[in-house]
Amino acid sequence: MIDVVKEIRNALRVQYPEAQYDVYTESIEQGFAEPCFAIHQLTADITPYPNHRTEIVQHFDVRFFPAGERPREQCRAMAGTLIFLLRQLASLRGTNLSWEITDDVLHFFVSYRQFVREIPPEYLMEILQLETGIDTETEG
């Protein structure tokens, strides 16, 4: 299964270097420095399919905390950038992209869908031994 949080973090790192922006994937530390991002998984929808396949749709809120003056303007500009940055990750395509600004924090919503296949226990590989040779006894 693809680690979506890691893929989002990697996409943010392409555009926003670690030296200037922190990216939090767990809880946000008290006294965090702005500007920064926080990746928060909201929910996941799981739908079983035949042939041991499962569809997983994960819904995320990528929050951006601006620094300095005019935070709403910074949030709008960041939303415009995140649309193109998060709609296509290395392995997944984002859907249901939307955003809102609440208390001068950008909430960028995006969903990622992937199918995973469960390998039943009877298909697991075991040790295979093969004996080869030439049959010298032929009927004549």
Side-chain angles (χ1 to χ4, degrees):
M1 190 162 101
I2 298 169
D3 185 346
V4 183
V5 173
K6 185 177 179 181
E7 295 248 350
I8 293 171
R9 186 184 68 231
N10 291 344
L12 291 172
R13 283 287 171 236
V14 168
Q15 187 78 21
Y16 302 102
E18 191 171 350
Q20 296 175 346
Y21 294 83
D22 287 325
V23 177
Y24 296 97
T25 58
E26 296 295 328
S27 62
I28 299 176
E29 299 173 6
Q30 186 174 353
F32 65 93
E34 299 167 334
C36 68
F37 295 95
I39 303 168
H40 181 71
Q41 183 170 2
L42 300 172
T43 61
D45 302 323
I46 301 165
T47 307
Y49 281 82
N51 296 329
H52 304 286
R53 293 184 311 142
T54 302
E55 177 191 39
I56 302 172
V57 181
Q58 298 179 65
H59 308 280
F60 288 90
D61 176 6
V62 178
R63 293 174 285 175
F64 171 68
F65 298 86
E69 297 179 14
R70 305 181 68 98
R72 291 184 164 272
E73 183 178 317
Q74 291 179 53
C75 287
R76 285 189 296 273
M78 180 61 69
T81 302
L82 292 179
I83 288 169
F84 299 103
L85 195 62
L86 298 181
R87 73 176 176 184
Q88 182 67 51
L89 300 178
S91 305
L92 299 167
R93 183 173 181 84
T95 59
N96 301 322
L97 283 77
S98 65
W99 57 272
E100 66 182 38
I101 300 170
T102 306
D103 296 329
D104 295 336
V105 174
L106 172 67
H107 294 265
F108 191 89
F109 303 103
V110 59
S111 300
Y112 296 99
R113 173 183 160 191
Q114 62 181 307
F115 278 92
V116 294
R117 186 178 179 101
E118 178 186 349
I119 299 175
E122 64 266 13
Y123 289 100
L124 296 176
M125 295 295 290
E126 294 183 9
I127 296 174
L128 175 65
Q129 294 180 346
L130 179 64
E131 292 183 21
T132 60
I134 301 174
D135 187 10
T136 56
E137 296 181 23
T138 58
E139 293 184 29

